[in-house]
Amino acid sequence: MDASELDEGMKVLESCLALINWRLKPSSKRRLQLDIIALSTRMRPVVMVDYGGIMPQLQQHLSSLLQLAQKESLIFEHLRVMVIQDMIYLIHVTELAHHVRSTFNSQQQLLFVDLQHEPPKMITRIEESQLAMQFVSIQKLFLTIFSPEEGNCMDDANSTSQCFPSHSNEFVDLSNCLDNTDVTVPTLNGWLLGYPVVYLFGKERVADAIYNLSTKYLHVFQVFVCRNSTLKKGTQDEELLSFSVPYDLSMRGSNEQWAKAFLAHMQAKWERCANAWKSLKMEVSECHPQAIVL
């Protein structure tokens, strides 16, 4: 996929936004454009849409937008809307399937920061935490949904995957994927959005998690991209994604082993679609203790 194809896709997006009369702020429209390009080039498997309105109108707008856009451009072919409780996402179904499979096949280990205790600690062995083990069961559920050939789906009535609909052309509703677990949406988001380190805390420990994180210095890891465009000259760096890790657990910043592995992973994705993007870089900054919303 090259820059000219993406530019044509953005023209389609602009036209479809007008047809459904979805009036976005300029900053929200730019974010939507970047998110769709990131998905279309498979730089990201999932983006969370926390701009452009509230549910259920936001879901209606996104679904209508994709239905129109998919008739006009192949750029949008593999994109779907996904809903989990009151959160809404755009996904690339093929890249999400790859992301889920790599969770179990890759040597790049997902790390957890346990926020239930003071001070927070890094969990590198899943067996150390019952909550982390529950999270693995949710990951396996996603495997049965998005990569059923590798998920060992069963046909009997006890199969968990029977509880969830297949991904249709409209949207994927996994609102009950966290039922019967103590896992929270922020933990699930960290993994779905492609972070190498995610925060781990139970549903009954949200207040503890907020306090324990709000009192800590943080390292903020930001990945920036600059895209090629045949329409605009001098395009600027834009934030592709960002995540935070307590300073005491990431004192080496970008020199942490997991940070190097993550950047190498993102650079490999960038090289796969270098015609679409001019550059990719990661920056690490320090954030003082402040109120955190999880």
Side-chain angles (χ1 to χ4, degrees):
M1 189 177 298
D2 59 27
S4 61
E5 289 178 290
L6 291 172
D7 286 336
E8 287 302 313
M10 292 307 98
K11 290 180 182 178
V12 169
L13 179 68
E14 188 78 28
S15 174
C16 292
L17 285 170
L19 285 173
I20 65 174
N21 198 30
W22 189 8
R23 298 177 181 177
L24 289 168
K25 295 179 180 178
S27 59
S28 296
K29 185 183 292 186
R30 287 194 299 271
R31 184 70 241 181
L32 179 62
Q33 290 173 340
L34 179 64
D35 284 345
I36 286 180
I37 293 172
L39 290 168
S40 299
T41 57
R42 299 180 63 175
M43 287 292 292
R44 302 192 68 185
V46 178
V47 298
M48 183 171 63
V49 183
D50 54 1
Y51 51 85
I54 59 175
M55 295 284 275
Q57 291 84 1
L58 180 55
Q59 179 184 332
Q60 294 168 355
H61 278 144
L62 285 172
S63 295
S64 297
L65 180 66
L66 283 189
Q67 287 176 18
L68 282 175
Q70 286 169 345
K71 296 176 182 177
E72 303 295 330
S73 173
L74 292 177
I75 294 292
F76 305 90
E77 180 182 8
H78 298 289
L79 304 190
R80 300 289 185 273
V81 176
M82 182 171 73
V83 176
I84 299 177
Q85 297 179 7
D86 59 348
M87 311 297 292
I88 190 163
Y89 313 81
L90 285 173
I91 66 174
H92 187 291
V93 289
T94 305
E95 184 61 20
L96 179 53
H98 176 77
H99 177 62
V100 174
R101 288 196 302 269
S102 68
T103 298
F104 299 95
N105 300 335
S106 174
Q107 294 181 348
Q108 184 176 350
Q109 185 181 15
L110 182 67
L111 301 177
F112 297 93
V113 173
D114 184 353
L115 293 182
Q116 297 187 141
H117 302 92
E118 173 61 29
K121 66 176 183 177
M122 190 81 79
I123 297 176
T124 57
R125 292 171 55 88
I126 300 298
E127 298 79 8
E128 296 177 10
S129 168
Q130 183 178 1
L131 189 57
M133 293 291 287
Q134 286 187 15
F135 183 70
V136 170
S137 70
I138 295 172
Q139 291 176 312
K140 290 179 178 178
L141 172 62
F142 273 77
L143 187 65
T144 66
I145 295 170
F146 292 98
S147 291
E149 70 281 1
E150 294 195 26
N152 295 321
C153 289
M154 298 179 295
D155 295 326
D156 60 72
N158 293 323
S159 173
T160 309
S161 62
Q162 297 289 325
C163 303
F164 300 93
S166 60
H167 32 275
S168 68
N169 289 330
E170 295 185 2
F171 71 96
V172 185
D173 190 350
L174 298 180
S175 293
N176 53 347
C177 70
L178 299 178
D179 289 357
N180 304 315
T181 77
D182 201 29
V183 177
T184 60
V185 170
T187 300
L188 181 62
N189 280 344
W191 171 59
L192 288 176
L193 299 178
Y195 306 156
V197 179
V198 302
Y199 292 133
L200 186 69
F201 56 95
K203 295 175 182 176
E204 302 300 321
R205 302 292 295 276
V206 175
D208 292 335
I210 291 174
Y211 176 81
N212 290 338
L213 193 60
S214 297
T215 57
K216 299 293 180 291
Y217 283 87
L218 302 175
H219 267 142
V220 179
F221 294 77
Q222 295 172 287
V223 175
F224 292 94
V225 289
C226 180
R227 78 178 185 93
N228 284 318
S229 175
T230 58
L231 301 176
K232 297 180 180 179
K233 294 183 178 180
T235 51
Q236 299 179 338
D237 289 342
E238 298 177 273
E239 184 184 280
L240 181 69
L241 62 86
S242 66
F243 60 93
S244 65
V245 182
Y247 182 89
D248 289 344
L249 299 179
S250 58
M251 295 182 69
R252 299 173 62 208
S254 59
N255 288 320
E256 292 283 350
Q257 183 176 359
W258 55 261
K260 289 181 178 180
F262 171 70
L263 181 57
H265 172 67
M266 295 304 300
Q267 287 174 332
K269 285 191 170 190
W270 172 73
E271 291 171 0
R272 189 175 63 192
C273 53
N275 290 334
W277 305 97
K278 289 182 180 179
S279 62
L280 177 142
K281 63 181 180 180
M282 184 171 72
E283 296 182 357
V284 184
S285 59
E286 186 177 317
C287 178
H288 294 271
Q290 57 183 293
I292 301 291
V293 178
L294 292 171

